[in-house]
Amino acid sequence: MKLLFPLLALIGGIAVAIQSQVNGNLGRNVGVIEGSFISFLIGTLALFFAVIFFGNGNLLAVASVPKWQLLGGLMGAVYVLILVFSVPKIGVAAALAGIIAGQMIMGAVIDHFGLFGGERFPIDAKKLIAIVLLFVSLYLFNQK
């Protein structure tokens, strides 16, 4: 059970890499914003059916959650739009290197300060070194 969640995260990462190329091609064929919209529409339909057949939460509770919690969809739209735009120009791996670096850096800041209602996990020297190495990795990956 200890490996289940890291393996699920690995599968999620694989899906994101495939999604990036597929969405990049879609954007090249129909337009960047249009490709992003189509991607979200198909994802929304998939989630709609998942809620109908497997959901056990309360969608109406959305009216009572803090409004900042609704920003996740907007952030997802920004993410997909940026990937649809950048993947055809720099490739999947370079785009994902930037995405991963951004996720790790912002994740460390969120954890350090316990932002958005999260638990605090302070940044230490090892994490700072890892962040510096992320920048080195991003630079090397995009070097011609």
Side-chain angles (χ1 to χ4, degrees):
M1 196 63 167
K2 195 173 189 179
L3 290 177
L4 176 64
F5 295 108
L7 285 175
L8 286 174
L10 178 68
I11 292 168
I14 291 168
V16 165
I18 294 168
Q19 175 197 31
S20 299
Q21 184 62 51
V22 169
N23 283 349
N25 286 335
L26 179 63
R28 192 178 352 204
N29 289 323
V30 301
V32 172
I33 296 172
E34 295 79 2
S36 301
F37 173 75
I38 292 166
S39 176
F40 258 83
L41 179 62
I42 292 169
T44 299
L45 287 172
L47 289 173
F48 173 75
F49 288 112
V51 166
I52 287 175
F53 293 111
F54 306 110
N56 59 4
N58 179 7
L59 287 176
L60 298 178
V62 71
S64 63
V65 301
K67 299 308 171 217
W68 62 265
Q69 291 181 356
L70 302 177
L71 290 174
L74 181 60
M75 296 295 106
V78 168
Y79 167 75
V80 169
L81 187 63
I82 288 170
L83 278 179
V84 170
F85 177 71
S86 62
V87 165
K89 294 175 179 21
I90 63 173
V92 173
L96 289 179
I99 294 288
I100 292 166
Q103 288 174 330
M104 295 294 292
I105 292 163
M106 192 64 215
V109 170
I110 290 169
D111 282 350
H112 182 76
F113 293 105
L115 300 176
F116 308 112
E119 197 169 323
R120 291 190 71 216
F121 297 95
I123 294 175
D124 57 14
K126 282 193 253 181
K127 290 179 183 175
L128 283 175
I129 292 169
I131 288 170
V132 169
L133 291 173
L134 275 170
F135 279 112
V136 170
S137 170
L138 192 57
Y139 172 77
L140 290 174
F141 214 93
N142 287 290
Q143 197 66 357
K144 300 259 180 202

